[in-house]
Amino acid sequence: MSRSALRRWRERGSRTVTVLLPFADIMEIALALLSLSPDELARLDWSFADRKRLLDHLLQSGKQAQSVDRDKLDQTLLRLALPARDVRRLKRFAQRELPKTATNAAVIELDL
């Protein structure tokens, strides 16, 4: 790992956490992140770069989804490898912003 990559890894939280989520939930969370206004980002204490990084993690699941049969995609859990800091951010976002009745985002409620 290069020196700059190691520095970025430490800044992101230094530990990777694996999260399994259904594709529909991943896309729902991504759409909710995209809909945040600048004021809402500020309330979460996030920058535009924070949101972009979170979206990039979620959109990576699209590569996995391409290899899954469309009929089984709704029942398939996709694996996301996220820095611990970003998991904490997504957890806080899911608890505060996403309607629990519309998503299974409660699975993000990890003890970190």
Side-chain angles (χ1 to χ4, degrees):
M1 185 178 286
S2 73
R3 191 174 281 176
S4 63
L6 184 59
R7 180 181 49 78
R8 285 191 310 270
W9 181 67
R10 283 189 194 121
E11 289 171 357
R12 288 192 320 249
S14 336
R15 191 173 68 131
T16 302
V17 177
T18 300
V19 178
L20 298 173
L21 288 172
F23 182 71
D25 283 353
I26 292 170
M27 290 300 104
E28 183 177 342
I29 294 167
L31 289 172
L33 286 171
L34 282 171
S35 70
L36 291 174
S37 70
D39 289 338
E40 291 167 323
L41 284 173
R43 279 197 301 273
L44 289 166
D45 198 27
W46 291 2
S47 66
F48 283 97
D50 293 330
R51 175 174 57 185
K52 182 186 179 313
R53 188 181 61 256
L54 293 169
L55 283 167
D56 288 345
H57 293 310
L58 296 173
L59 296 176
Q60 280 293 325
S61 66
K63 291 180 182 177
Q64 291 177 53
Q66 288 178 350
S67 64
V68 177
D69 181 17
R70 284 185 177 206
D71 296 333
K72 296 179 182 178
L73 190 56
D74 288 342
Q75 295 85 30
T76 303
L77 295 177
L78 299 177
R79 182 178 310 272
L80 299 170
L82 305 168
R85 185 179 90 187
D86 288 342
V87 172
R88 286 188 294 272
R89 285 183 173 174
L90 281 173
K91 177 183 173 182
R92 185 174 56 164
F93 174 72
Q95 290 172 339
R96 288 177 57 179
E97 306 295 330
L98 292 176
K100 294 291 178 155
T101 57
T103 184
N104 290 327
V107 297
I108 297 176
E109 295 177 6
L110 304 171
D111 293 322
L112 296 176

